[in-house]
Structures are given as C-alpha cells and as structure tokens.
Amino acid sequence: MAILIDGKKTSEQIKSEIASRVGEIKASGGKIPHLAAVLVGDDGASQTYVGAKVKACEQVGFRSTLVRLDAGITEEALLHEVQRINDDPDIDGLIAQLPLPKHISVEKVTAKIKPEKDVDGFTPANVGRMALNWPTYVSATPYGILELLKRHEIETSGKHCVVIGRSHIVGSPMSILMARNDYPGNCTVTITHSRTKNLDEIARSADILIVALGRPEFVTADMVKEGAVVIDVGIHRIADESKKSGFRLIGDVKYDEVAPKASAITPVPGGVGPMTIASLLYNTLLAAERKIYP
Ligand code: NAP
C-alpha cells in the first residue's frame, strides 16, 4: 500500500514551527513578521484565497495588512501602491493576488515588487536565483512539494522525474528544482506539455511523477509505473449532491486506481493544496529575518 503523503499534517507542522519562532522573536523583542496582500476587485475565489492567507498569518502570530483596491484602478495607480508598500519599512512581505483585471499587466506589477519582499517568489530576480540554486523565495506550490518530499524522506537522487505541465507557477519551476544538485533534486527530469508525444509512455517511465496540467483525473493507472511516487497538484470542484457543500474536490490523478500502484502519493484534498499557505508563511518569516537578502 502506498505511503500517504499527508499535506494537511505537514502544513500544520510547518505552521506550528513558524508560530514557535514568532514566539521566540516576540520574547526577544524582535520585529513581528508582517505580510501585505494586495487584492484588486471583488472576485469571489480571490477573496477566499486572500482571506485564508490573512487568517493563517493570525494563526502563527504574524501581522497582516489587506490592501483592497477597486477593480477599475489604473495600472499606474496600482504600480504606485506597490511602490508605497515596497518603501514601507514595517512590511516584510508583499503579495499581489492573481488574477489581476485584464487592463493591468501582471508582468509589470510582478516586476515592480521589490525582490526582498517578493514572498511569492514570482519576480524575475527570484526566479533567476531559484534557477541558479541561490538562496531565494521559492514560490509556494513548488516549495510545498519539496517540503513534502523532504519530510516524507522520499529518495530523489538519480531518479527519473517526469513533470506534466510547464506553467510558470508549478511545472516549470518544479522541473528546475528537481534537477538541481541538492536534496530534493538530483533527478533526471523530463518536462512534458500539451504538445508532448507519447505522454503515456513517458509517464510510465517516471520514478517520480509530478502532475500539474489542470485536467480532472487525467492520469490513470496504466500511465503509472509500479512503485512510482505520485504528486498530484491539480484541484477541481466536482458537483456532488451527497456533500453538504454540494461539491467535492478531485485532482489531476485518478487516485483510487493509481494509489495501489504507487509507493507514495498525495491525496486531493489534503496533499499539495494545504502546503501552499504554509510555504507563503515560511517565506514571510525568511523575509522578516532577512535570511535571503541579508
Ligand atoms: P496551467 O497554467 O493551466 O498549465 C497547465 C499545463 O499543463 C500547461 O503547460 C499545458 O501545456 C499542460 N497541459 C494541458 N493539457 C495537457 C495534456 N493533455 N497533456 C500534457 N500537458 C498538458 O496550470 P497550473 O496553473 O500549472 O495548474 C495546474 C493544476 O494545478 C490546476 O488544476 C490548478 O488548479 C492546480 N494548482 C493547484 C495548486 C495547489 O495549491 N494545489 C497550485 C497551483 C495550481 P501547454 O503549456 O502546452 O499549454
């Protein structure tokens, strides 16, 4: 039976480690980490995500500031707001919740964030540092996956890691991180995408399969090698009358048939998802303690 890679438990552990560190900082009269989140418009999902981040800050003892801006804000005014937060010495970390309204360039806003405060790890400077294996803020989902592998003592050296998906936020950084001369890392990596031929065959050759393509239950048992480690990043809401909420969550992997073949697997929900906020908190702590940019 596969080892369950438990993201819920691991994320709670990380949050409790962060809370202890905040306790030490408070006791020694140091500066309490402070995260600012910029939310543009009133998109329901974005409000939920930002709300969860603010609540998590409270849980670990951080300070947080939610900057709510009107959906009609001009790009120039938003850039000005980012600059204001960049210049505020009291704020350690800054995130701009995506997506932004169509009339605003995500690239311009991302590039405006001061790398020292970029706790989402999305700025060109921090992505470059990640690729060079320099100290950096690794973005939340890839960092969460690395921690899951590490804390479940999954061997990665010399393994063939296949990543399905090449997005800037998951697939692409994961492929770089898994190939690094580090632990987790030292894999031989194959990155795949929608133009890849023979995907089934490539997936079957994976010792570690990282799935982030955004298609419900795309990976089936016949695409997975016996004993593979399977990391499912996908999250989809499926209508389910039997649930109080009216829906249930599933991943990009057909869990019930893949789990019996895998040596270790992340469930959905309770796998990669809960790690994301824990990673953001960790990066904010690094920022407050000037660990990346001394
Ligand atoms: P994305 O930006 O939509 O990228 C999807 C990638 O998958 C693209 O590179 C695309 O290829 C590739 N792809 C699409 N169909 C494919 C196919 N049939 N075969 C092979 N590759 C295919 O997605 P994302 O932002 O990385 O997110 C992926 C999934 O993870 C989504 O379900 C998302 O909700 C979830 N997610 C979860 C978390 C979390 O915290 N757990 C965080 C982020 C994302 P092309 O480049 O060729 O188009």
Side-chain angles (χ1 to χ4, degrees):
M1 194 57 198
I3 296 169
L4 185 78
I5 303 181
D6 189 338
K8 195 158 182 280
K9 199 164 134 200
T10 309
S11 68
E12 289 305 327
Q13 264 165 11
I14 294 175
K15 282 195 254 179
S16 119
E17 289 161 16
I18 294 172
S20 316
R21 180 67 196 130
V22 174
E24 289 170 10
I25 295 172
K26 272 189 185 154
S28 65
K31 185 186 173 303
I32 304 300
H34 185 176
L35 175 72
V38 176
L39 175 64
V40 183
D42 47 17
D43 175 69
S46 294
Q47 291 195 35
T48 307
Y49 294 141
V50 168
K53 290 170 187 175
V54 168
K55 197 169 146 220
C57 282
E58 283 164 17
Q59 267 179 6
V60 298
F62 286 3
R63 290 173 59 210
S64 64
T65 299
L66 175 56
V67 181
R68 283 176 173 276
L69 300 168
D70 191 84
I73 189 171
T74 63
E75 185 177 271
E76 197 190 348
L78 178 57
L79 292 172
H80 193 264
E81 189 58 27
V82 169
Q83 189 58 48
R84 187 190 64 75
I85 302 172
N86 280 343
D87 294 339
D88 183 342
D90 193 53
I91 293 173
D92 304 298
L94 159 60
I95 57 168
Q97 184 64 42
L98 301 179
L100 293 171
K102 286 199 176 64
H103 66 280
I104 293 174
S105 154
V106 179
E107 285 80 8
K108 276 193 196 165
V109 173
T110 304
K112 189 75 177 174
I113 296 173
K114 198 173 169 183
E116 287 86 338
K117 297 194 179 188
D118 167 34
V119 289
D120 260 340
F122 288 160
T123 59
N126 284 324
V127 174
R129 291 171 75 106
M130 185 266 300
L132 292 165
N133 202 13
W134 289 10
T136 190
Y137 306 113
V138 175
S139 60
T141 306
Y143 180 79
I145 295 171
L146 294 182
E147 278 304 297
L148 284 177
L149 294 171
K150 203 189 285 178
R151 289 173 186 246
H152 289 80
E153 297 177 348
I154 307 280
E155 180 58 78
T156 60
S157 180
K159 306 286 182 189
H160 182 207
C161 175
V162 173
V163 181
I164 307 183
R166 60 176 164 187
S167 71
H168 292 326
I169 61 163
V170 190
S172 176
M174 261 345 282
S175 69
I176 295 168
L177 293 163
M178 294 304 281
R180 291 180 311 176
N181 182 4
D182 210 333
Y183 175 72
N186 278 317
C187 287
T188 304
V189 175
T190 304
I191 181 160
T192 67
H193 43 76
S194 66
R195 310 290 176 92
T196 299
K197 298 212 172 15
N198 305 327
L199 179 62
D200 291 24
E201 200 181 305
I202 296 168
R204 260 195 306 278
S205 71
D207 302 309
I208 301 172
L209 184 61
I210 300 177
V211 189
L213 79 161
R215 299 250 187 134
E217 298 187 330
F218 179 89
V219 170
T220 47
D222 58 312
M223 294 170 72
V224 177
K225 178 162 83 177
E226 197 73 48
V229 173
V230 180
I231 306 291
D232 186 357
V233 186
I235 304 182
H236 311 275
R237 272 185 182 203
I238 299 291
D240 186 341
E241 297 286 312
S242 71
K243 302 274 176 200
K244 222 167 99 185
S245 58
F247 69 87
R248 66 192 166 92
L249 296 176
I250 61 168
D252 283 355
V253 173
K254 205 161 192 179
Y255 185 87
D256 289 347
E257 61 175 64
V258 171
K261 274 187 104 173
S263 61
I265 186 165
T266 57
V268 177
V272 175
M275 294 297 291
T276 309
I277 289 187
S279 306
L280 174 68
L281 295 174
Y282 178 71
N283 280 344
T284 305
L285 180 63
L286 290 179
E289 300 205 279
R290 310 282 183 265
K291 287 279 166 69
I292 304 297
Y293 294 89

